[in-house]
Amino acid sequence: MTPGTSRPRQATTRAREHLGEVLAKVEANNPGEADFHQAVREVTRSLESVLVQRPRYMQDKILERLVEPDRVISFGVNWVDDDGEIHVNRGFRVQMSSSIGPYKGGLRFHPTVNAGLLKFLAFEQTFKNSLTTLPMGGAKGGSDFDPKGRSESEIRRFCQSFMTELYPYIGEFTDVPAGDIGVGEREIGYLFGQYKRIAKRFVGAITGKGIKWGGSQIRQEATGYGVVYFAREMLATRDDVLGGKTCLVSGSGNVAQFTVEKLLDLGAHAVTLSDSDGFIHDPDGIDREKLEWVKRLKNERRGRIREYAEEFEHATYHPAKGGDENPLWCVPAQCAFPSATQDEISAKDADNLVKGGVMLVAEGANMPTVSGGVDRLTAAGVLYAPSKAANAGGVAVSGLEMAQGMQLVQWSKEEVDGRLQAIMRRIHDTVRQTAEEHDRPGDYVAGANISGFVKVADAMLDESPI
Ligand code: NDP
Ligand code: 2IT
C-alpha cells in the first residue's frame, strides 16, 4: 500500500459499510416495501463521498434518523356512497422530516396507496423540498380510495370524511398537504372546505387551492412547466434547445398536461400520452387544440385516453399489455418526460428509449425509472434528471402559495412564473455544481441526493447536536 493512502481508503470503507448498514436496517424494518427500499438505496449510492468528507453525519446517525419517519399516522375513512352503502378506506399521513420547515407534501388517492408507498414518497419529498431552497420539510399522505367511476357527490363525501380524520395533524405551521395522483383542484376544494368548517379559520393549511380562494397563480401548471424549464437548462449545457424536438410524455393528468403545454410554448412537440389502460401515439404532434380537448376529456368528462385516437386522424391507441416492456418507450423521439407514476420505465424500456434516439429524460412523476433503468440511461450518455430535482417546481410553487397566504397577497402570473423559472435554474445549477465538486460531473442523481441531503443533515445537527 502506498504510504498516505490507507487513511482515505479506511474512511471510504467505513462510509460504504455505514451506508450498507442503514440500507440493511431499512430493508429489515420495512419488509415488502420495495419502492421505499429502492428510494433509500438510490440515495445511499450517492452519499459515500459526503460521509468521507464529514464523518460527523455518520457519528450522529443522520441518515439512520432520516429514513425513519417522525410519524406514520393511519386512520379509517368511513363514507357513504350514492346508494346509501357504507365504505371503509384507509387514510395515512407520513410525516418524514420537519428539520427545515413544516411537513409538506401531497395527498394521493389511488388503490395502490399503503404506508410503504407513502414512506418512499415522503422520503423523496424531504430531499426535493430541500432542493427548492424554500423552508419545507417532507411528508406524503393519501388513501387507497379509488376515485375512478365515483360520482361528484361521492368524491365530496369521501374528501370530507378524509379531512375530518386528518384535521388534527395538519395546519399552516405544522403540516401542509397538497395534491398528487387522484387529488386535483376539485378534491383540494372539498378538503379545504372541510378543514375550514372544522377550524373556523381561513389559513393556508393546504396548497393547490383555487385562484379565487387563496391559491397561487401557476400552481396547477407548476410541476409540468418546471420539468420543462429544468430540461431546457440541461440541454443548454450541451448548447442545445428544446425547439424542434419530438418528445414522449406518459400520463395524461396534471403533470402530463402542463408538460405538453410548456413544450409547445418552447417549440417542441409531444407525440404520446397515456393512462392506466394504454397510450396514444399521434405522429402529427399534440397541438394546442388537441391539448385543450385532452384537458376537457380528463378534467371535466373524466374519460379515457383511448378516445383521443377516435377523435384525431393518424393517432393510434395501444392498450397496456403489462410485463416489463411498455411500447410507449419504443416510439422514436429525442426527449422523454415520464409523468404518470413510479416504476414506469424498466431497464428494458430504458434500452428501448436509447435505441429510439432519446438523449434526455426528465422525470415529472416520482421515481418513474427503476434503478436498473437509470443505470442504462446514464451509461448511454443520456441527460437524466431524477424526479426530486426535475419535478420540484410543483412543491416550490406550493411554497410560494404558502408565502402569499401568510401575507394575504396574490402575485401575478408573470411574478410566479418568473420565480418558478429562477428556482428551477437554481436547482439545476446547484445539482450540477455539487456533482462536479464530488467528482461526478454531469451526474444529476448524485448532485440532487448530495445537495438535498446536506441541507437537511446540517439542520439536524444544528437543532439536535449530540
Ligand atoms: P393525476 O392524477 O392528475 O394523473 C395521473 C396520471 O397517471 C393519469 O393519467 C393516470 O391514469 C396515470 N396513472 C396513475 N397511476 C398509474 C398506474 N399505476 N399505471 C399507469 N398509469 C397511471 O396525477 P399527477 O399528474 O398529479 O401526478 C402524476 C405523477 O407526478 C405522480 O407520480 C405524482 O406523484 C407526480 N407529481 C405530481 C405533482 C403535482 O403537483 N401534482 C408534483 C410532483 C410530482 P389513470 O387515470 O388511468 O389512473
Ligand atoms: O410530489 C410532489 O412534489 C407533489 N405532489 C406536490 C407536493 C406539494 O406539496 O405541492
Side-chain angles (χ1 to χ4, degrees), residues 199-254:
K200 310 279 185 294
R201 296 162 74 223
F202 193 114
V203 288
I206 301 186
T207 61
K209 299 188 290 302
I211 285 302
K212 294 178 183 154
W213 37 279
S216 171
Q217 298 287 354
I218 307 290
R219 173 60 191 91
Q220 245 205 316
E221 295 87 343
T223 311
Y225 280 17
V227 176
V228 178
Y229 292 146
F230 198 93
R232 177 174 64 183
E233 298 300 321
M234 294 171 88
L235 285 173
T237 66
R238 293 190 182 171
D239 293 323
D240 204 346
V241 291
L242 276 163
K245 298 268 189 300
T246 300
C247 303
L248 307 179
V249 177
S250 64
S252 48
N254 173 273

Side-chain angles (χ1 to χ4, degrees), residues 313-324:
E313 217 186 349
H314 304 137
T316 50
Y317 175 65
H318 309 263
K321 288 206 185 79
D324 64 351

Side-chain angles (χ1 to χ4, degrees), residues 104-106 125 128 140 176-180 207 219 366 391 394-395 398:
K104 180 84 195 87
Q125 196 81 46
K128 183 195 306 190
K140 201 85 185 189
V176 185
D180 193 79
T207 61
R219 173 60 191 91
N366 282 307
N391 75 25
V395 74
S398 276

Side-chain angles (χ1 to χ4, degrees), residues 44-345:
T44 59
R45 278 165 38 143
S46 303
L47 293 186
E48 199 177 285
S49 57
V50 185
L51 298 188
V52 169
Q53 268 177 11
R54 295 209 60 193
R56 177 92 198 270
Y57 294 146
M58 281 189 280
Q59 282 150 25
D60 286 21
K61 307 219 165 144
I62 293 297
L63 187 61
E64 211 171 320
R65 283 151 66 180
L66 257 182
V67 295
E68 193 61 39
D70 288 351
R71 231 158 277 108
V72 178
I73 300 152
S74 167
F75 44 88
V77 185
N78 308 332
W79 59 282
V80 182
D81 72 16
D82 288 345
D83 298 325
E85 193 185 331
I86 294 172
H87 294 261
V88 182
N89 283 98
R90 275 199 170 163
F92 301 93
R93 186 71 178 164
V94 176
Q95 297 179 333
M96 203 77 192
S97 165
S98 64
S99 296
I100 63 170
Y103 300 109
K104 180 84 195 87
L107 295 172
R108 179 177 291 193
F109 291 169
H110 195 270
T112 56
V113 164
N114 57 42
L117 184 87
L118 296 175
K119 271 187 239 168
F120 126 60
L121 289 163
F123 180 72
E124 291 285 288
Q125 196 81 46
T126 303
F127 288 73
K128 183 195 306 190
N129 293 3
S130 165
L131 286 170
T132 64
T133 70
L134 302 173
M136 299 181 289
K140 201 85 185 189
S143 172
D144 59 1
F145 170 72
D146 187 355
K148 276 201 198 81
R150 290 292 171 195
S151 71
E152 191 75 27
S153 51
E154 287 174 328
I155 298 280
R156 189 186 66 244
R157 283 197 296 278
F158 176 79
C159 288
Q160 290 173 339
S161 281
F162 181 89
M163 181 50 76
T164 303
E165 299 302 329
L166 180 67
Y167 174 81
Y169 309 105
I170 65 170
E172 72 276 28
F173 293 115
T174 320
D175 182 351
V176 185
D180 193 79
I181 291 178
V183 180
E185 194 176 318
R186 170 181 66 166
E187 290 75 19
I188 293 291
Y190 296 144
L191 291 163
F192 184 62
Q194 184 71 357
Y195 180 86
K196 221 157 37 67
R197 207 169 165 194
I198 304 173
K200 310 279 185 294
R201 296 162 74 223
F202 193 114
V203 288
I206 301 186
T207 61
K209 299 188 290 302
I211 285 302
K212 294 178 183 154
W213 37 279
S216 171
Q217 298 287 354
I218 307 290
R219 173 60 191 91
Q220 245 205 316
E221 295 87 343
T223 311
Y225 280 17
V227 176
V228 178
Y229 292 146
F230 198 93
R232 177 174 64 183
E233 298 300 321
M234 294 171 88
L235 285 173
T237 66
R238 293 190 182 171
D239 293 323
D240 204 346
V241 291
L242 276 163
K245 298 268 189 300
T246 300
C247 303
L248 307 179
V249 177
S250 64
S252 48
N254 173 273
V255 179
Q257 291 169 19
F258 290 103
T259 296
V260 172
E261 186 164 295
K262 189 47 69 181
L263 285 171
L264 283 169
D265 288 348
L266 299 185
H269 63 284
V271 293
T272 59
L273 281 172
S274 70
D275 60 24
S276 46
D277 295 339
F279 79 94
I280 59 99
H281 175 208
D282 184 347
D284 298 340
I286 302 165
D287 61 21
R288 285 186 200 278
E289 202 182 310
K290 293 172 181 173
L291 177 61
E292 287 315 308
W293 184 90
V294 170
K295 286 185 186 173
R296 282 196 300 277
L297 172 78
K298 285 292 170 182
N299 311 343
E300 291 166 27
R301 286 203 287 122
R302 309 218 174 240
R304 310 305 297 161
I305 202 64
R306 69 171 165 269
E307 294 175 43
Y308 185 104
E310 292 152 20
E311 184 74 17
F312 299 109
E313 217 186 349
H314 304 137
T316 50
Y317 175 65
H318 309 263
K321 288 206 185 79
D324 64 351
E325 230 171 329
N326 180 350
L328 188 160
W329 306 120
C330 295
V331 175
Q334 286 94 50
C335 303
F337 297 86
S339 311
T341 193
Q342 63 279 354
D343 303 328
E344 53 169 323
I345 299 183

